[in-house]
Amino acid sequence: AQSVTQLDSHVSVSEGTPVLLRCNYSSSYSPSLFWYVQHPNKGLQLLLKYTSAATLVKGINGFEAEFKKSETSFHLTKPSAHMSDAAEYFCVVGWGGIWMIFGAGTRLAVHP
Amino acid sequence: DVKVTQSSRYLVKRTGEKVFLECVQDMDHENMFWYRQDPGLGLRLIYFSYDVKMKEKGDIPEGYSVSREKKERFSLILESASTNQTSMYLCASTGGEHEQYFGPGTRLTVT
């Protein structure tokens, strides 16, 4: 069975400090993994994707994620948070270019 | 850039009304999707279509139907809206790449 678990529903950081959003997945197949970001009242925007190439994936806006097969994890990180990073983030496991399972989301708050 | 547009950003309908949500993509993508998004539940797939006039049920198709008469357009239909269908509805498309491209969403309120 396929599933995605985002380990924190809310994360709060100060501006300029590192961000860590945690995601574990379960998949019977070789998955593609994604992180999407959603700002208030907007659609989802792709941050980055893993599709069985390099395990360390760099995305937009300074975000990156590392695929760790042994830990079935795909955590999202950023060295220094910016106020504009405040949003909801979704970890997604997909396969076949069609089926995608979304995590419940992590709401990131960034304080001055 | 891929562009996915949805006909309305906000919609208010009464219980029992028939509701149409429309989605258009401009990248000649084969696959299109309708999701609903509810707090704490993430996104759940309602229906998807892999070609004109072809459709497949997703995880929560009950109370919904879809129509795809043209490749670029995918419509979600609520035959008789109910209050438990109050939600954010998101359309997406993909051309066979791994990721999906999303529209801005329609926030539907059924009173």
Side-chain angles (χ1 to χ4, degrees):
Chain A
Q2 280 62 239
S3 67
V4 178
T5 303
Q6 292 185 241
L7 297 166
D8 307 290
S9 58
H10 291 83
V11 170
S12 181
V13 301
S14 298
E15 192 173 21
T17 65
V19 176
L20 170 64
L21 305 183
R22 299 180 295 164
C23 174
N24 286 352
Y25 71 93
S26 171
S27 177
S28 306
Y29 311 100
S30 296
S32 299
L33 294 162
F34 311 85
W35 277 99
Y36 283 85
V37 61
Q38 185 179 34
H39 289 93
N41 297 313
K42 297 287 179 67
L44 275 69
Q45 180 185 15
L46 180 69
L47 273 181
L48 51 79
K49 64 181 178 182
Y50 167 77
T51 56
S52 74
T55 56
L56 183 61
V57 181
K58 293 189 184 299
I60 62 171
N61 301 334
F63 285 94
E64 63 181 38
E66 186 172 8
F67 173 67
K68 291 188 177 180
K69 188 174 181 178
S70 61
E71 299 176 10
T72 60
S73 70
F74 190 57
H75 301 335
L76 182 70
T77 61
K78 182 172 180 178
S80 176
H82 191 272
M83 296 296 289
S84 61
D85 294 328
E88 190 157 22
Y89 292 79
F90 293 94
C91 181
V92 184
V93 61
W95 63 103
I98 291 180
W99 298 105
M100 299 181 92
I101 296 179
F102 291 77
T106 298
R107 190 167 296 279
L108 175 66
V110 182
H111 302 287
Chain B
D1 275 355
V2 175
K3 194 158 188 182
V4 181
T5 57
Q6 295 183 228
S7 52
S8 305
R9 292 301 308 277
Y10 300 93
L11 212 51
V12 180
K13 296 292 182 180
R14 293 188 184 275
T15 301
E17 277 193 86
K18 190 169 186 175
V19 182
F20 292 87
L21 302 182
E22 291 212 315
C23 174
V24 178
Q25 51 93 4
D26 67 357
M27 285 301 292
D28 202 35
H29 283 170
E30 288 83 12
N31 304 309
M32 297 186 74
F33 308 81
W34 276 107
Y35 295 90
R36 66 176 282 175
Q37 182 181 19
D38 300 289
L41 296 177
L43 274 72
R44 294 177 292 167
L45 181 65
I46 304 172
Y47 269 97
F48 77 95
S49 169
Y50 52 91
D51 202 349
V52 174
K53 297 191 186 295
M54 308 303 289
K55 62 185 179 184
E56 290 285 345
K57 293 180 180 179
D59 299 316
I60 51 164
E62 296 78 20
Y64 303 94
S65 62
V66 290
S67 172
R68 192 163 180 205
E69 297 296 320
K70 292 185 177 182
K71 190 174 186 180
E72 68 271 18
R73 191 178 298 269
F74 191 34
S75 300
L76 180 69
I77 303 153
L78 288 65
E79 293 289 342
S80 178
S82 63
T83 55
N84 63 13
Q85 292 178 310
T86 291
S87 187
M88 171 73 97
Y89 290 88
L90 290 163
C91 176
S93 73
T94 180
E97 312 94 351
H98 296 274
E99 65 268 32
Q100 295 182 7
Y101 299 89
F102 285 85
T106 296
R107 188 168 293 281
L108 173 66
T109 302
V110 183
T111 62

